[in-house]
Amino acid sequence: MNPTLDLLLSRRSALTRDITAPGPDPDQLETILTIGARVPDHGKLTPWRFVVVEGEAMQQLGEVLQQAYDKAAPEPEPRRREAEGRRFADVPVVIFVVSRDVPHIKIPRWEQILSAGAVCQNMLIAAKALGYAAQWTSDWLSYDRNVLEALGLGEDEQVAGVISIGTTAEALEERPRPALADIVTYWSGARA
Ligand SMILES: Cc1cc2nc3c(=O)[nH]c(=O)nc-3n(C[C@H](O)[C@H](O)[C@H](O)COP(=O)(O)O)c2cc1C
């Protein structure tokens, strides 16, 4: 079959906790970022930007998550705190896809958010095409003001997706997908 269709028909997410090295090299990462930026964008507003975390910065991200967890949890649990510190510890590259609010007279925020979602999906596809596993997550950290500030996000910015990229030891198993019969209707005109 067509290789693009093969890729799209077989794409699966890994679990972030299973993603380890190797990850994309600098050229491959640039390709992933470039493909991420090549999405439909009504009005060409570029209502998104990317924050990349890799290498030694991953350790600092773990510290940020621990500190934010301590502040957010009424009674922080040591094991959970440890897990937050290690959440991305083995992931080679994490890309925070940031949705930016670009005030516009004609183009609503909703469409700008949709465009940021398309960025996340494009990155997943690019990662798979390069032979890597990836997952799009959010979780509490995407909504925690302390984490967002540490990553340099402004008040008008949100995390659309946390894209973790690397390699998994095990092949990814398929999961059930919705039956088209349950989600597709063919509209045949308004009824009287
Ligand atoms: C906006 C968004 C946020 C998500 N956040 C999480 C998350 O925090 N944790 C998680 O396990 N999966 C999350 N997912 C789901 C995974 O990305 C993925 O869809 C799921 O593991 C199923 O795998 P699949 O891509 O093969 O269907 C999220 C998906 C989307 C679209």
Side-chain angles (χ1 to χ4, degrees), residues 1-151:
M1 209 200 276
N2 174 303
T4 305
L5 297 181
D6 274 347
L7 186 148
L8 292 171
L9 285 167
S10 62
R11 188 207 60 78
R12 266 244 60 196
S13 296
L15 292 176
T16 301
R17 64 167 177 266
D18 296 335
I19 298 176
T20 59
D25 66 25
D27 284 350
Q28 291 174 323
L29 178 56
E30 188 169 325
T31 299
I32 292 167
L33 295 168
T34 302
I35 290 171
R38 199 180 174 94
V39 290
D41 169 12
H42 193 180
K44 304 180 193 68
L45 302 178
T46 320
W48 22 259
R49 64 186 185 90
F50 316 142
V51 179
V52 180
V53 184
E54 57 180 348
E56 289 174 10
M58 208 62 87
Q59 163 88 21
Q60 289 174 44
L61 177 61
E63 287 165 19
V64 163
L65 296 184
Q66 285 185 325
Q67 285 160 13
Y69 168 70
D70 285 344
K71 284 186 189 161
E75 292 178 33
E77 298 165 25
R79 281 178 58 189
R80 172 80 191 275
R81 186 173 196 281
E82 163 77 16
E84 291 302 342
R86 291 205 43 78
R87 181 182 280 264
F88 299 109
D90 298 325
V91 180
V93 178
V94 173
I95 305 169
F96 288 84
V97 175
V98 177
S99 170
R100 302 192 304 128
D101 187 5
V102 182
H104 193 278
I105 193 162
K106 186 174 140 220
I107 298 160
R109 173 95 182 103
W110 166 238
E111 295 188 13
Q112 299 177 29
I113 295 168
L114 290 173
S115 182
V119 168
C120 296
Q121 182 66 10
N122 258 23
M123 287 184 178
L124 293 183
I125 293 166
K128 170 147 171 89
L130 288 164
Y132 295 105
Q135 191 183 27
W136 172 355
T137 56
S138 50
D139 218 323
W140 69 274
L141 56 104
S142 295
Y143 305 97
D144 184 281
R145 206 55 239 168
N146 291 307
V147 174
L148 302 187
E149 269 174 28
L151 290 168

Side-chain angles (χ1 to χ4, degrees), residues 169-188:
E170 307 288 331
L172 304 173
E173 280 178 27
E174 183 47 333
R175 73 167 176 91
R177 301 289 165 176
L180 290 187
D182 293 337
I183 56 168
V184 180
T185 50
Y186 289 84
W187 192 74
S188 54

